[in-house]
Amino acid sequence: MSSIQDKNNEHFNNKAHEYDNIPMAKEMTAKASETILAEFTASTSEEHVRNSTVLDFGCGTGLAAFLVAEKVAHLVGVDASSGMLEHLRKKLDTLPELASLKAANKIHTINHLVTDASPLPEPDFSKYLAGENGGFDMVFSNYVLHHIEDVQGVVDTLGKKIVKRGGWVIVLDFEGHHVHGGVDHGHEHHGHDHGHSHGHGHGHDHAAHAHGHDHSHSHGHGHAHGDKKNEHEGLVKVDDIYKDEEGKPLEFVAHKGGFNTENMTEIFTKAGLVDVSCSRSFGFFRELRGTQVWTDVLVAKGRRP
């Protein structure tokens, strides 16, 4: 286990009980879940989605898992953080609106660090992955990969050992972060003309961050703004917004500048996936220590041949 993974586990174990209350967490995750389901449906059919078995990689406290589970036959959530999964299971036991999901046995959780050598532990490996037709119809993650040092290795495992042949891997993560001009960060101005994230009224994950996880972490999220093109004028890209109150880089975030469509496309292609596409999906403002930070989110998907 890498040192970054250790720090991730420590952070999310400590934050699990308050993760769902991070500003913008539910809104960000709701938008991510909506996007994942739309991309999956567009790649297959509504009937296939309803009958599918899917895996939420880095499911965290279940904010995205609960929303996606409503639309599929069965969902497996896997996470290396025992604290996050403990909070997820507690919600399954105590929240009335999730009772139907539990009764239908639609959500199964696995506390496991996914690796190439051990994609899933037994008996789950034999149940879900073994055999020529083993694997999930769709594997997704939102706001998780920027926490992971070896992104190529993870996508390789998702695309070659966890998703079934003909199945889809769909990932959402941060593309870039921007602040209003005035401070020269040495980066180009970046215009945006796409819609903002809006809350959907149902709870679930967020923040994505990573895990379905928040991702603002200890960085508080701001509020979504109206769809006004001129709100994006004068924004300057910054590659490192993940710092603590003392200005030190947060050690549990491996890719502080996010990703771009080119490198994510390359990662998916190198993993052997086909019909690969990657594009900017949506964006939102969040507040970081008194500064309004615009964050773009990209969506990447590919099919296992």
Side-chain angles (χ1 to χ4, degrees):
M1 185 182 296
S2 70
S3 60
I4 288 182
Q5 184 62 53
D6 287 335
K7 295 179 187 304
N8 266 286
N9 289 351
E10 179 183 6
H11 171 77
F12 286 110
N13 285 338
N14 291 336
K15 293 293 183 180
H17 66 288
E18 60 186 58
Y19 183 86
D20 290 5
N21 296 322
I22 292 173
M24 283 290 290
K26 292 181 178 180
E27 291 87 346
M28 290 171 64
T29 304
K31 185 64 176 177
S33 303
E34 175 188 337
T35 301
I36 289 162
L37 286 166
E39 292 288 347
F40 186 31
T41 303
S43 301
T44 55
S45 69
E46 291 184 2
E47 181 180 5
H48 182 76
V49 171
R50 286 195 300 271
N51 295 322
S52 65
T53 296
V54 306
L55 181 134
D56 181 353
F57 172 71
C59 62
T61 63
L63 290 180
F66 298 148
L67 293 179
V68 175
E70 294 178 4
K71 305 297 184 181
V72 302
H74 185 65
L75 182 144
V76 173
V78 61
D79 203 297
S81 168
S82 59
M84 298 292 272
L85 286 183
E86 181 180 353
H87 192 63
L88 183 161
R89 293 174 185 135
K90 181 178 180 181
K91 289 192 292 184
L92 281 174
D93 289 335
T94 59
L95 297 182
E97 63 269 28
L98 299 177
S100 61
L101 291 177
K102 182 179 180 182
N105 196 29
K106 293 187 74 172
I107 295 179
H108 172 63
T109 60
I110 304 172
N111 183 202
H112 182 65
L113 177 64
V114 172
T115 65
D116 185 69
S118 178
L120 291 180
E122 289 291 359
D124 297 295
F125 180 90
S126 294
K127 179 177 181 179
Y128 294 107
L129 302 182
E132 181 64 23
N133 297 318
F136 293 87
D137 297 290
M138 189 264 287
V139 175
F140 71 92
S141 78
N142 60 96
Y143 316 113
V144 176
L145 291 188
H146 65 279
H147 285 281
I148 296 172
E149 202 165 16
D150 183 12
V151 173
Q152 185 68 65
V154 165
V155 177
D156 284 352
T157 301
L158 299 180
K160 296 176 180 178
K161 296 192 173 182
I162 294 183
V163 73
K164 66 168 51 176
R165 296 187 185 281
W168 291 85
V169 177
I170 303 176
V171 167
L172 272 78
D173 214 306
F174 301 128
E175 180 181 12
H177 314 286
H178 307 80
V179 297
H180 288 288
V183 178
D184 182 8
H185 296 277
H187 297 285
E188 74 279 8
H189 288 269
H190 193 91
H192 306 271
D193 59 0
H194 41 70
H196 293 36
S197 169
H198 295 278
H200 294 281
H202 23 345
H204 67 324
D205 175 286
H206 140 34
H209 191 313
H211 274 334
H213 302 183
D214 150 87
H215 270 244
S216 85
H217 298 331
S218 319
H219 349 320
H221 284 84
H223 51 289
H225 288 229
D227 298 321
K228 298 179 181 179
K229 293 182 180 180
N230 61 6
E231 284 186 344
H232 307 141
E233 293 178 358
L235 294 181
V236 179
K237 185 174 181 180
V238 290
D239 284 340
D240 185 2
I241 65 168
Y242 295 107
K243 296 179 179 179
D244 61 20
E245 297 302 325
E246 298 178 353
K248 298 178 181 178
L250 296 179
E251 296 179 292
F252 55 88
V253 181
H255 301 275
K256 297 178 175 62
F259 303 96
N260 60 54
T261 56
E262 291 79 11
N263 62 29
M264 193 61 73
T265 298
E266 181 180 11
I267 288 168
F268 269 54
T269 302
K270 284 185 175 180
L273 298 168
V274 298
D275 300 329
V276 173
S277 66
C278 185
S279 62
R280 181 173 300 143
S281 182
F282 59 91
F284 54 88
F285 275 109
R286 55 177 165 166
E287 185 173 314
L288 177 63
R289 295 190 298 277
T291 299
Q292 287 294 312
V293 177
W294 175 266
T295 300
D296 286 310
V297 175
L298 59 76
V299 56
K301 68 177 180 178
R303 178 176 60 85
R304 181 180 178 183

